[in-house]
Amino acid sequence: MDYVNGPGRNHLFVPGPVNIPDQVIRAMNRNNEDYRSPAVPALTKTLLEDVKKIFKTTSGTPFLIPTTGTGAWESALTNTLSPGDRIVSFLIGQFSLLWIDQQQRLNFNVDVVESEWGQGANLDVLASKIAEDRAHTIKAICIVHNETATGVTNNLATVRKILDHYQHPALFLVDGVSSICALDFRMDEWGIDVALTGSQKALSLPTGMGIVCAGPKALEATKTAKSVRVFFDWNDYLKFYKLGTYWPYTPSIQLLYGLRAGLDLIFEEGLDNVIARHGRLGKATRLAVEAWGLKNCTQKEEWYSDTVTAVVVPSYIDSSEIVRRAWKRYNLSLGLGLNKVAGKVFRIGHLGNLNELQLLGCLAGVEMVLKDVGYPVKLGSGVAAASAYLQNSTPLIPSRI
Amino acid sequence: MDYVNGPGRNHLFVPGPVNIPDQVIRAMNRNNEDYRSPAVPALTKTLLEDVKKIFKTTSGTPFLIPTTGTGAWESALTNTLSPGDRIVSFLIGQFSLLWIDQQQRLNFNVDVVESEWGQGANLDVLASKIAEDRAHTIKAICIVHNETATGVTNNLATVRKILDHYQHPALFLVDGVSSICALDFRMDEWGIDVALTGSQKALSLPTGMGIVCAGPKALEATKTAKSVRVFFDWNDYLKFYKLGTYWPYTPSIQLLYGLRAGLDLIFEEGLDNVIARHGRLGKATRLAVEAWGLKNCTQKEEWYSDTVTAVVVPSYIDSSEIVRRAWKRYNLSLGLGLNKVAGKVFRIGHLGNLNELQLLGCLAGVEMVLKDVGYPVKLGSGVAAASAYLQNSTPLIPSRI
Amino acid sequence: MDYVNGPGRNHLFVPGPVNIPDQVIRAMNRNNEDYRSPAVPALTKTLLEDVKKIFKTTSGTPFLIPTTGTGAWESALTNTLSPGDRIVSFLIGQFSLLWIDQQQRLNFNVDVVESEWGQGANLDVLASKIAEDRAHTIKAICIVHNETATGVTNNLATVRKILDHYQHPALFLVDGVSSICALDFRMDEWGIDVALTGSQKALSLPTGMGIVCAGPKALEATKTAKSVRVFFDWNDYLKFYKLGTYWPYTPSIQLLYGLRAGLDLIFEEGLDNVIARHGRLGKATRLAVEAWGLKNCTQKEEWYSDTVTAVVVPSYIDSSEIVRRAWKRYNLSLGLGLNKVAGKVFRIGHLGNLNELQLLGCLAGVEMVLKDVGYPVKLGSGVAAASAYLQNSTPLIPSRI
Amino acid sequence: MDYVNGPGRNHLFVPGPVNIPDQVIRAMNRNNEDYRSPAVPALTKTLLEDVKKIFKTTSGTPFLIPTTGTGAWESALTNTLSPGDRIVSFLIGQFSLLWIDQQQRLNFNVDVVESEWGQGANLDVLASKIAEDRAHTIKAICIVHNETATGVTNNLATVRKILDHYQHPALFLVDGVSSICALDFRMDEWGIDVALTGSQKALSLPTGMGIVCAGPKALEATKTAKSVRVFFDWNDYLKFYKLGTYWPYTPSIQLLYGLRAGLDLIFEEGLDNVIARHGRLGKATRLAVEAWGLKNCTQKEEWYSDTVTAVVVPSYIDSSEIVRRAWKRYNLSLGLGLNKVAGKVFRIGHLGNLNELQLLGCLAGVEMVLKDVGYPVKLGSGVAAASAYLQNSTPLIPSRI
């Protein structure tokens, strides 16, 4: 019945779902509860207040929806837009592709701005489109902060600058699935109207909670948005927020307690320290990739992602074989290359509750797998490069000073 | 941080979410996993095969959707119907009301057949409508098997008989949220086209998995159904079923293992024994209610529910006070009266992983609360009536014979 | 692999090991840790400080020994006495018998004061012996505070009075295994020199920690005590206490965190409230027994135990059959009659993390079992008697007011 | 309340307590049970049968004692020997020292054979002593299979050969605390009379169970052994073994289920594969130490330990600082140098449920710490050496082939 046996621990380095901290596993180790008792609303209230901090928003309204990132996307779109609305959307990898597919199936008029996989969103094209759109036919900009398939981080501040420059009222909708709680993310400062993430990403919980945060302009937009929605309708939530019972339908009690424990850990470490840690682990990974003589799928430094690195393998190697072998021989879970980059890249997720030695263990494993599949890597080279950097940059654990 | 402290155990008798067996809690006590490894599909395969057994179907196709019952409803409707389609739907309590509300918001043409709360679906009206509908304008019948708000179980076999009698092709969609795995339910025999439940009900898991099972006619209907759907689209699942990777988006690893453990427990006890146990606990509860001199909200025996009993309180008592006091004084969680019966009934959920002595403890608690709020109950009377029945009818625990 | 399956929860009413609160189960759900890191001593320090409160001592020194109650006994004796030392020990049931057996095998000169099983320690005899012992040949008084086999609580204050009256220097050693944290216990006020309990009793943890508290006179006695001891030697602990590392050998990390959580729960409820709750549950149980027309094994009210009730069955019934049937049919775990009272009594443990409705469920179960085995009990009678009392005496749960 | 927070996982590389597999943590995540129900004996029976396999004995009788390794030692000695008995005991490090201290305090006549720390037991001296002892005054040989303080493995087969050569009847008592379940250990083949281990070592459970296995000659010796013992007396166990109830006092229910899960994992991997894995991890560690230019505390290859490596640091470095820093900066738990080698060595435990990448993460961490404290290590060098070996020698995970 247990499909993951193997001596020792699974080394989970897919870019989601990620490692759950023991404290969260403990907090979730519990029976169900009546969600209509006074206890669950009291707990929920603290969550709604505190979850705003990870979005860096004070004006936003969060929704903790029993769904996945895909559902969170749908929630963001259907609550703010009407069928036929023109939206500008950036296709830069598999997850932006899937979101665009959803946008199209939801009958929006999607103006796709495509980049080569490995590049970031082409914001010059955005600037032109916004500049030209004096009639304000563009109702929303949809952008993935961090494209999980290629390890590319887009510059959200620039998006805001473009919109502001032209005083364009388009809604600014951001998929922060593999960024929020890991990368620098500032909902209020960057004027993001809807931001969203999933519990199983940098928050380091199990899958099952789509966390969506809507700014005032987005809430205003719900009043005119004609997209059909029931399960994902924010108004049902808002009605129960007013009642103080919070839940239009049954939440997962376990995820609520898990979120509480997860937020507590993040605040204890300090959100900025969490982000700095991701910066450290991301850079260490890239240094290893460089030392191995391999290429980062991300084409320019400005797009480097601190949560996932897609590593390009030589053409004579099938990257899927690397992932398969890592799992079969070293109990190491790496991410596959998806779609256009299938077989060409493998991915190292370095987000969530993770520390330096876990990453170094992973890198050592990748080296052995590379050798296994015939790539002439110098064993230890990536670890050496990464640890040279980490040995200089890792701070003492605050609670142990 | 823990909002349910109190000496001893919480007595959870709301009609969902229900008590999780320790074996399931244990099975879920785990880290995340890569859902693209060979392990998760292997596990999923067993789940999809075995979950059909609880629907008593061999021809159905199950979907394990990361959502709640509300989402499962939406999935059933949008995958099989088009906006404007005429559906007959029965309003007999709060949950059928909510489903009808959803049907209307999804732009179906809902032909509502209303009964007094406490009565079952009016199937005579259904018969007339079906008889009259020679043009087959009715595309679907939507019915709640067991109305959780009033404790009313509808007769699904009769619905099938009516449709068959008139050879009417309408789809037969059933909300089995508080029935499947607890009441006699026969998807194939009764010709149900879509049936659904939620993980937190009789399956006794945490909330977060909507389990929907679609028969061949329903799958055929997806090809012409024009309702907009993405997150809930069965086709995305079917595509991944064919690939053998099963998941269009990230499932909850924990719920998959939990479902495996939950199904194993159900099969070990025997599904028919599980249903018989619910019959026993339901009858015992009703005997207690009778002994207390109180009325069952359910007006006729044919509708008695073996998963939840709504107890009508005298008009001089506010049933909410009973629920509040039970929780505050005895750590007993009862269900509130909802909407039309708010303040008038309280509900005892007796579904899921539960045994005789747990129920008797609950009944003893209800007696004390009744006395607390001024109802002149004879303490011990309900327990006596229930245990007189249970002492005669409870079998030995099979694994201990 | 799981030997206790059965629908619903096991009703654990043996007088130990008892139900573990969910909070403690959660706290123990963890990996091992290095016990030589700064974290474990820091945790241990809080435990040693706080555990004294449950003994009501400020002058005592606690030892958290990786052992059971039997080991705690041995620790109490061998650290304070020398072979051949005369001790007065009271035989009133199976557990005092076992302790006396240990005392004899450890080569003490045991002056056994025997009572009929069901009676308390004969303190008149103690008074005579003390009065006569002007030479102070009696080195220690060994007494079980609560005899778990018969449900008899001895009066410790009287023992102290007798010793004080004669200014007798004998050590006062108390087995508090089924009393501490449940019954009124005052180590300092009653001048107890060594008191001990086990983690799996009223503290509601798993088995594995013997908790021994030694007063100043007992510590002084270690200097001259010639009993051979190594594993149980307090001096090894004291040496490590001084070093601030606390552990002469590896402790169970899980039990340390469990104890922390358990103590926190007890202090949150309030130790005196915990004791009052035991008083309430004990009395309710006795009222049920009376209502059933059965006799308490304890012969006088002054000895009634609030942690365990031994119920005498009619001679035509084998009490073991009651225990067997309760387990096989109702998933109810009761205590067997032991030794002299085997087949004659069954025991209801009502100690530890337990509340009113749990007890009432148990009592309802006992009634059904009594009927099963042919005793003409009126079903509901015991529950009625118990709940009449509880409905009047149960306070609101403090955290929910 | 949680003293080990830090982002990511603690890297536990002390030589005990070791990492607990998730499956075992899950199995132990449970409430207490009545240990007198039929379930616990049924479980215990399988444990007693299966635990013999890890000792490689069919004739031995195992005892699962609620104690630590120290208690297991005491059990081995007091059940088989009498005060004043001459025993030959080998002092080669801190743990053999502590056992000898116990032997002396238990009043045996201990003939100590001392070696320099870092060397194995001097078996030449044993041979002489045995040769000379024609009167058979030597009653027992006490030897630590693997000295945890120095990482030295003694040759038990040679001990047996010496005894056999001289047909000497001395009992052969072995501390297998850091060897059994990890190193090649053959109780029957090597004619070991008592062998013992602790649950928190290679078995990878929490602390709290001393596992002692007694051969027929040892059981025979109990009949004449005059050492005082009660808690540790095997006869109390044997009495209950005969009754089929197995337990003279309360066992830890959680540890029983944990042991079941732990044994299942070991048998699934295959005991010989487990031992081979330890061989692999041990050799990899030594290769890293060599690459760092540091010395193994173990002076000759014949004594190299596959469960723990004590690394000698240059005299200008305090090894305690390495341990402290590893914990404070990298969440890495290493073992301190003890007693004679305090400050001079640090220890890497590589036993229990552990795999290659976990070890490589640890080695990468050690490298960074070495640099932190001023040792001019070449970062990556140890990892390179270890992984060059591991990449050639690590088999596929059997369940994933």
Side-chain angles (χ1 to χ4, degrees), chain B residues 76-366:
Chain B
L77 298 167
T78 57
N79 279 284
T80 57
L81 298 166
S82 301
D85 275 357
R86 182 182 173 203
I87 61 184
V88 176
S89 208
F90 299 90
L91 197 174
I92 65 166
Q94 179 65 10
F95 291 93
S96 39
L97 176 70
L98 288 171
W99 197 14
I100 287 167
D101 174 63
Q102 185 185 68
Q103 292 154 13
Q104 291 169 332
R105 288 160 71 186
L106 291 170
N107 297 322
F108 303 116
N109 173 13
V110 192
D111 199 341
V112 177
V113 182
E114 191 164 357
S115 301
E116 201 183 322
W117 288 33
Q119 296 188 351
N122 191 330
L123 300 186
D124 294 339
V125 175
L126 176 68
S128 320
K129 285 182 188 280
I130 292 294
E132 285 163 16
D133 183 38
R134 280 181 212 117
H136 295 170
T137 62
I138 298 171
K139 297 303 176 202
I141 313 299
C142 291
I143 188 164
V144 168
H145 187 196
N146 186 77
E147 170 56 61
T148 314
T150 55
V152 161
T153 304
N154 287 312
N155 190 327
L156 301 181
T158 301
V159 175
R160 171 46 55 202
K161 269 184 215 142
I162 292 167
L163 290 173
D164 283 357
H165 181 79
Y166 296 99
Q167 295 188 290
H168 195 289
L171 290 167
F172 183 11
L173 311 187
V174 177
D175 165 341
V177 168
S178 58
S179 79
I180 287 168
C181 247
L183 305 184
D184 184 20
F185 188 90
R186 313 180 190 190
M187 183 165 173
D188 281 4
E189 188 180 328
W190 296 340
I192 295 166
D193 295 303
V194 187
L196 60 92
T197 188
S199 51
Q200 82 279 20
K201 297 286 183 168
L203 261 167
S204 301
L205 266 64
T207 309
M209 189 186 275
I211 303 167
V212 182
C213 200
K217 210 166 84 181
L219 282 190
E220 192 59 32
T222 60
K223 295 176 185 162
T224 51
K226 294 198 182 63
S227 292
V228 171
R229 60 196 181 274
V230 182
F231 179 75
F232 290 119
D233 198 333
W234 296 343
N235 282 312
D236 292 355
Y237 281 84
L238 293 171
K239 205 163 64 180
F240 282 86
Y241 285 8
K242 265 188 204 137
L243 294 173
T245 51
Y246 291 107
W247 297 104
Y249 30 73
T250 323
S252 161
I253 294 296
Q254 290 73 20
L255 279 171
L256 297 187
Y257 282 98
L259 179 58
R260 184 65 269 161
L263 290 172
D264 287 346
L265 279 175
I266 285 165
F267 299 149
E268 188 186 324
E269 185 178 356
L271 180 55
D272 290 339
N273 292 332
V274 170
I275 292 166
R277 176 165 52 80
H278 281 86
R280 210 154 59 233
L281 298 180
K283 180 155 188 195
T285 306
R286 292 189 294 272
L287 288 166
V289 172
E290 202 183 312
W292 296 330
L294 291 174
K295 274 198 356 195
N296 195 322
C297 177
T298 314
Q299 296 181 10
K300 284 192 193 161
E301 194 174 337
E302 60 177 296
W303 298 315
Y304 280 164
S305 164
D306 285 338
T307 56
V308 57
T309 299
V311 184
V312 181
V313 300
S315 59
Y316 60 88
I317 290 173
D318 175 5
S319 68
S320 311
E321 183 56 25
I322 290 175
V323 174
R324 205 174 302 123
R325 206 166 171 82
W327 192 74
K328 282 198 171 186
R329 197 174 184 205
Y330 303 108
N331 210 347
L332 170 61
S333 296
L334 298 170
L336 286 162
L338 299 174
N339 199 331
K340 281 200 184 176
V341 293
K344 298 180 183 166
V345 312
F346 68 91
R347 293 175 297 149
I348 301 173
H350 31 79
L351 73 164
N353 194 264
L354 204 64
N355 60 29
E356 289 75 14
L357 300 201
Q358 285 175 283
L359 180 67
L360 292 172
C362 164
L363 296 177
V366 171

Side-chain angles (χ1 to χ4, degrees), chain C residues 176-220:
Chain C
V177 168
S178 59
S179 80
I180 287 167
C181 246
L183 306 183
D184 184 20
F185 188 90
R186 313 179 191 191
M187 182 163 174
D188 281 3
E189 189 179 327
W190 296 340
I192 295 167
D193 294 302
V194 187
L196 59 92
T197 187
S199 51
Q200 82 278 20
K201 297 286 182 168
L203 261 167
S204 302
L205 266 65
T207 309
M209 190 186 274
I211 303 167
V212 182
C213 201
K217 210 167 85 182
L219 282 190
E220 191 60 32

Side-chain angles (χ1 to χ4, degrees), chain C residues 118-130:
Chain C
Q119 296 189 351
N122 192 330
L123 300 185
D124 294 339
V125 174
L126 176 67
S128 320
K129 285 183 188 280
I130 293 295

Side-chain angles (χ1 to χ4, degrees), chain A residues 2 4-5 7-9 11 23 26 29 268 277 327-329 331 353 355 372 391 394 397 400, chain D residues 2 4-5 7-9 11 23 26 29 268 277 327-329 331 353 355 372 391 394 397 400:
Chain A
D2 218 313
V4 290
N5 285 350
R9 193 161 169 85
H11 301 265
Q23 292 91 335
R26 269 197 289 284
N29 181 44
E268 188 186 326
R277 176 166 51 81
W327 192 74
K328 283 198 169 186
R329 196 172 185 205
N331 211 347
N353 195 264
N355 60 29
D372 283 356
Q391 194 259 334
T394 305
I397 298 170
R400 298 188 184 168
Chain D
D2 218 312
V4 288
N5 286 350
R9 195 163 168 82
H11 301 266
Q23 292 91 335
R26 269 198 289 286
N29 182 44
E268 188 186 325
R277 176 166 51 81
W327 192 74
K328 282 197 170 187
R329 197 173 185 205
N331 211 347
N353 194 264
N355 60 30
D372 284 356
Q391 194 258 334
T394 305
I397 298 170
R400 297 187 184 168

Side-chain angles (χ1 to χ4, degrees), chain B residues 5 23 329 372 391 394, chain C residues 5 23 327 329 372 391 394:
Chain B
N5 285 351
Q23 292 91 337
R329 197 174 184 205
D372 284 354
Q391 193 259 331
T394 305
Chain C
N5 286 351
Q23 292 91 336
W327 193 74
R329 196 173 185 205
D372 284 355
Q391 193 259 333
T394 305

